[in-house]
Each structure stands twice: as C-alpha cells, then as structure tokens.
Amino acid sequence: MGLRFAEVTKETRPDFEALFQAKGGPSYCWCMAWRDMHTREHVENAEKKRLMVGRIAGGTPVGILAYDADDPIGWCSVAPRETYRRLSRLQDDTERGIWSIVCFYVPRARRGSGLAKALLDAAVEHAFAKGARAVEAYPVEQASPSYRFMGFRDMFLARGFLETGTAGSRRHIMRLTAA
C-alpha cells in the first residue's frame, strides 16, 4: 500500500464525505457519537452530517484520512479532547494539550491489512505535530462485543501507549506522552 494521510479540512471534506457515504461507510454516525450535539436522542443522519460539516467549515480539528493514491480509504477521529463530550468519569478537564483518538473506520475489504495501525501512527504524529502534550485513546479488547470502532487495546500497547484506567466496563483509557 502506498499510503498517505491528510487532515480533514475544508479542502479535503469532499473526500471525507465520499468515504463516509460509500457502500458500508459510517454515514449513520458521521463520527458524531463522542461529540457534543444539542440532543443525543433520535438525531437524523443528515443532522449529524450537517453538524460535522459545520465543525470542518469552522476549522475545528476532527481527524485524518488515509489515502491510497487519490482514493480515501480510511479514517481516524483524532482531535483535542475538549472538542468531544466527556469521554470518561476519570477525565481531568483542567488538563490541556490532550488529544483523543475515539474512532477508526477501515472498510471491510481492507481490514487485516495493517491500515488501522498505519492510521494510529499517523494520528499520533498528527496530534504531536499540532502541539499535543499527550494522546489518549479508549480502545477495547479484541473480543469486545461493542465499541470496536475505537480500536483494540493491543494495537495501542504495541505503539507504546500505557493504560491509565478504564472508561465504563469495556473501554481502556490509554495514553502516550510526547517525548
């Protein structure tokens, strides 16, 4: 795979939309599950898209895309933690410079190819380049019946993340501090 990665911006938004609207894509959520919305109940997909597009248009960091040549093939939601709703009961909201990774999207045909690991590496590099002091994530065990879109704990351990606690009964809080 000849991969490259790019931040989702006004310029790359069409690629983000194409990836999310492709067959099997996550157009049902538009990666709004962990972001503040006016309500959490019965929000239509079109409204989730409108809210995400508004964030992008306003310059709020939302994540990165993976490309194979010019084709968007994967997504990682990585952004300053304060741009998300509260991610765990243990969260210290006075901490600054924390970026969170809350979601991956790898199309079914590309799963098992190493794309998620490449997205993780690119997301960490992106966050630190943007000034993050630390990157936090909330992955689950591979056998977890839910939250699998948040990534697997072993992938983060292999990248050097350390576990700092749990968020709920399935999610592990993992952190990597800038060198």
Side-chain angles (χ1 to χ4, degrees):
M1 251 187 299
L3 294 178
R4 70 178 177 86
F5 302 90
E7 180 176 12
V8 176
T9 63
K10 292 175 194 174
E11 293 75 28
T12 59
R13 190 190 95 208
D15 295 337
F16 171 76
E17 290 182 39
L19 180 68
F20 271 59
Q21 291 172 327
K23 183 176 180 177
S27 62
Y28 55 88
C29 76
W30 288 98
C31 209
M32 289 299 296
W34 295 105
R35 301 176 201 274
D36 282 324
M37 292 189 283
H38 56 281
T39 181
R40 300 223 63 80
E41 295 186 35
H42 310 296
V43 179
E44 298 292 324
N45 296 349
E47 175 66 0
K48 292 175 191 173
K49 179 181 178 182
R50 187 189 69 74
L51 291 168
M52 178 55 84
V53 166
R55 286 172 177 268
I56 296 166
T60 301
V62 296
I64 62 170
L65 292 168
Y67 289 85
D68 185 358
D70 290 331
D71 298 323
I73 61 165
W75 155 258
C76 179
S77 178
V78 56
R81 189 172 66 188
E82 61 268 15
T83 67
Y84 297 101
R85 63 186 173 97
R86 192 164 181 81
L87 296 165
S88 86
R89 292 184 314 273
L90 302 176
Q91 186 170 312
D92 177 357
D93 291 331
T94 65
E95 282 186 301
R96 292 289 167 241
I98 310 300
W99 279 53
S100 293
I101 295 173
V102 301
C103 178
F104 293 88
Y105 170 63
V106 174
R108 186 176 308 275
R110 293 194 182 262
R111 292 181 191 161
S113 69
L115 181 55
K117 290 176 186 171
L119 274 162
L120 174 57
D121 288 343
V124 167
E125 183 178 313
H126 174 72
F128 287 146
K130 292 287 190 169
R133 275 189 324 99
V135 178
E136 203 169 75
Y138 317 89
V140 296
E141 298 293 342
Q142 199 148 356
S144 177
S146 59
Y147 296 106
R148 296 170 65 87
F149 60 90
M150 297 183 94
F152 298 123
R153 181 176 173 268
D154 288 347
M155 181 174 74
F156 288 88
L157 286 171
R159 180 62 172 79
F161 280 71
L162 300 175
E163 187 162 344
T164 62
T166 58
S169 62
R170 292 188 177 96
R171 294 179 294 128
H172 301 267
I173 303 171
M174 309 288 292
R175 185 175 277 205
L176 183 66
T177 305

